[in-house]
Amino acid sequence: MNKNARCYFVMSTLFTLLIIAVVVNIDLLFWIVLCAFLLVVAIFFFRRFKNGFQLAEEDNYLDNMLKMPTRFSYKDLKNITKNFSNKLGEGGFGSVCQGTLPTGSEVAVKHLFYVGPINKSFISEVQTIGNLNHFNLVSLVGFCAEKFNRFIVYEFMVNGSLDQWIFKTNQQLALGWQVRKKIILDIAKGLAYLHEDCNQKIIHLDIKPQNILLDVNFNAKISDFGLSKLIERDQSQVITRMRGTPGYMAPEWLSSVITEKVDVYSFGIVVLEILCGRQNIDESQLDENRHLLELFRRYQEEGKLLDLVDECNGDMHSNATEVMEMMKVVASCLQTEHANRPSMSSLVKLFEGSVDVVINMDEDSQNELTLEVEVESLASTVADSVLSGPR
């Protein structure tokens, strides 16, 4: 029950008690209930007035923000989406509908389920991605902040989110190794740009398959910057409240002191899911197999990592050498000591084969893998024909 619903419930209950008190003529109860009723009414109207004042202030703030993308009206978005009829998906954040701009361009319209004044995550997302321009980051077309309606308009990605492809059991739809490898490189490039090539360092904080979108050629683009954190380039770390998705959060979150290496850890989990074709936390599995990361550690000690590789596409096992080398990269990203995790730019160089990259490992790490990766095999060229879809 949301705040408004709770308020209405309390008011109706007090009003009922007030009527009862009048009918049975209980003086003391009457005055107690009347005072409580008037207090609730006053609080309710004060909040409405306060929210209305905040909305006016925030509308003015958004109108005066520099370098902002297009601001749509609620009526515009109703027309663009044909009254929000073509729903692409729905989650805890809200729903996403497909729409078409007057220019003919396809867009995805995300409706945020929030019934108060504009919150920080909305402004963060609009400000952050609105000023970014990179091929591996989804483009923000515009936004809507009208009364209590909150929408973000993105470029439309034909093939949806990554989770819809890597967690499938249908062999006809399973992605081949070359496509998966290209997706991994794309994610790394997008994160490297956020961490090192922007005016301010941007930590995404919610890297997961649901936030990786795929275009018609299966190029991967990072989306959803609602939890992102901007820090100055000379800052080595930042203190912030815990945020992100369970299963993708680095261990240092327990101290709330984080660096961009929390994204590297999340990247490692996502790559592990891409290689294994299953979620890190899978409630459908037996207890001992429910957590993919624990399974990875166990199989690593037993020398059976290849048994974890996705079997929905035979191409994965046909490229077992490269897949196992990528497993070594996963191990480096998931180290407990964040300082020992590689930077995203070094991983991009590793994948592209431009330089040899030395990756340090925790002294007390359980990993017995030697990270002498053959960069030539990881950096093999992906033919355009491979990227036309799964095989």
Side-chain angles (χ1 to χ4, degrees):
M1 186 182 296
N2 61 37
K3 289 182 180 179
N4 285 339
R6 287 197 299 268
C7 188
Y8 283 123
F9 174 75
V10 172
M11 288 177 64
S12 61
T13 302
L14 290 173
F15 184 72
T16 302
L17 291 174
L18 184 61
I19 296 299
I20 294 173
V22 171
V23 171
V24 300
N25 195 25
I26 304 175
D27 291 339
L28 180 61
L29 178 62
F30 171 80
W31 288 109
I32 291 174
V33 174
L34 178 61
C35 290
F37 178 74
L38 293 175
L39 178 63
V40 171
V41 170
I43 292 173
F44 175 75
F45 281 104
F46 172 76
R47 284 183 174 177
R48 290 295 295 264
F49 173 79
K50 180 182 177 183
N51 286 347
F53 180 73
Q54 285 179 323
L55 282 172
E57 273 195 333
E58 288 159 348
D59 276 349
N60 182 62
Y61 172 73
L62 286 171
D63 283 336
N64 289 286
M65 285 173 65
L66 299 176
K67 299 181 180 179
M68 286 295 288
T70 302
R71 185 171 184 179
F72 293 94
S73 68
Y74 181 73
K75 183 178 179 182
D76 291 336
L77 296 186
K78 285 189 69 174
N79 293 333
I80 289 169
T81 61
K82 296 181 179 178
N83 201 23
F84 310 103
S85 58
N86 189 3
K87 186 174 290 188
L88 299 173
E90 187 168 349
F93 63 86
S95 60
V96 180
C97 295
Q98 185 178 350
T100 306
L101 297 177
T103 60
S105 300
E106 298 292 312
V107 292
V109 179
K110 182 167 75 171
H111 182 195
L112 303 178
F113 292 161
Y114 186 75
V115 290
I118 300 168
N119 60 2
K120 291 181 179 179
S121 65
F122 177 83
I123 294 176
S124 173
E125 185 155 15
V126 172
Q127 281 184 313
T128 302
I129 197 169
N131 291 310
L132 297 179
N133 183 21
H134 189 275
F135 182 74
N136 296 119
L137 304 179
V138 69
S139 297
L140 181 65
V141 177
F143 71 100
C144 172
E146 187 174 301
K147 295 184 179 179
F148 293 108
N149 294 306
R150 305 285 178 267
F151 294 88
I152 297 179
V153 184
Y154 291 109
E155 62 175 316
F156 178 64
M157 303 290 279
V158 175
N159 281 314
S161 56
L162 177 60
D163 62 299
Q164 298 172 358
W165 292 92
I166 60 175
F167 301 144
K168 287 182 178 292
T169 57
N170 188 334
Q171 289 189 342
Q172 297 300 317
L173 297 175
L175 300 176
W177 170 237
Q178 296 299 325
V179 178
R180 298 190 202 209
K181 188 168 64 172
K182 176 63 165 58
I183 289 171
I184 291 170
L185 173 60
D186 286 344
I187 301 170
K189 285 181 175 179
L191 285 175
Y193 173 80
L194 293 175
H195 293 173
E196 300 183 25
D197 295 332
C198 299
N199 292 330
Q200 287 181 296
K201 186 184 299 182
I202 300 173
I203 311 176
H204 187 278
L205 299 181
D206 201 21
I207 295 297
K208 57 184 179 180
Q210 292 83 350
N211 290 338
I212 307 299
L213 303 183
L214 305 172
D215 70 10
V216 66
N217 291 318
F218 284 83
N219 295 304
K221 302 191 179 189
I222 299 170
S223 71
D224 203 333
F225 288 75
L227 299 182
S228 62
K229 183 74 176 178
L230 280 67
I231 64 175
E232 297 301 325
R233 300 207 59 81
D234 57 356
Q235 282 184 273
S236 59
Q237 60 186 28
V238 63
I239 300 175
T240 185
R241 64 177 178 82
M242 188 176 290
R243 58 179 92 175
T245 301
Y248 299 89
M249 300 171 69
E252 59 264 29
W253 269 115
L254 294 175
S255 68
S256 298
V257 180
I258 57 134
T259 70
E260 71 275 11
K261 295 297 182 71
V262 295
D263 282 348
V264 178
Y265 184 93
S266 301
F267 171 79
I269 294 292
V270 171
V271 174
L272 184 60
E273 292 179 324
I274 292 173
L275 299 180
C276 300
R278 57 155 287 185
Q279 291 176 286
N280 183 31
I281 301 176
D282 188 349
E283 299 295 339
S284 67
Q285 300 285 336
L286 298 174
D287 288 346
E288 62 269 22
N289 297 332
R290 188 164 294 171
H291 297 277
L292 179 58
L293 182 53
E294 293 180 6
L295 206 59
F296 173 73
R297 302 293 193 200
R298 190 167 77 239
Y299 275 40
Q300 178 181 309
E301 291 177 357
E302 298 172 0
K304 300 191 303 182
L305 279 179
L306 196 58
D307 293 347
L308 280 179
V309 176
D310 191 357
E311 295 181 350
C312 284
N313 191 303
D315 186 44
M316 295 291 289
H317 283 267
S318 298
N319 291 276
T321 301
E322 289 189 31
V323 173
M324 289 302 297
E325 288 167 352
M326 192 65 78
M327 286 282 195
K328 298 173 186 178
V329 173
V330 168
S332 71
C333 293
L334 299 180
Q335 296 182 87
T336 303
E337 180 53 54
H338 70 84
N340 284 343
R341 296 175 204 148
S343 66
M344 292 310 308
S345 59
S346 68
L347 289 180
V348 171
K349 293 174 183 177
L350 174 65
F351 297 151
E352 293 181 331
S354 56
V355 296
D356 292 339
V357 177
V358 178
I359 301 176
N360 297 320
M361 298 296 290
D362 293 342
E363 290 182 6
D364 60 346
S365 174
Q366 298 177 6
N367 298 302
E368 299 296 334
L369 295 174
T370 302
L371 291 174
E372 296 295 332
V373 182
E374 295 292 337
V375 294
E376 293 80 12
S377 58
L378 280 177
S380 57
T381 303
V382 182
D384 292 338
S385 59
V386 174
L387 297 180
S388 60
R391 47 177 195 158

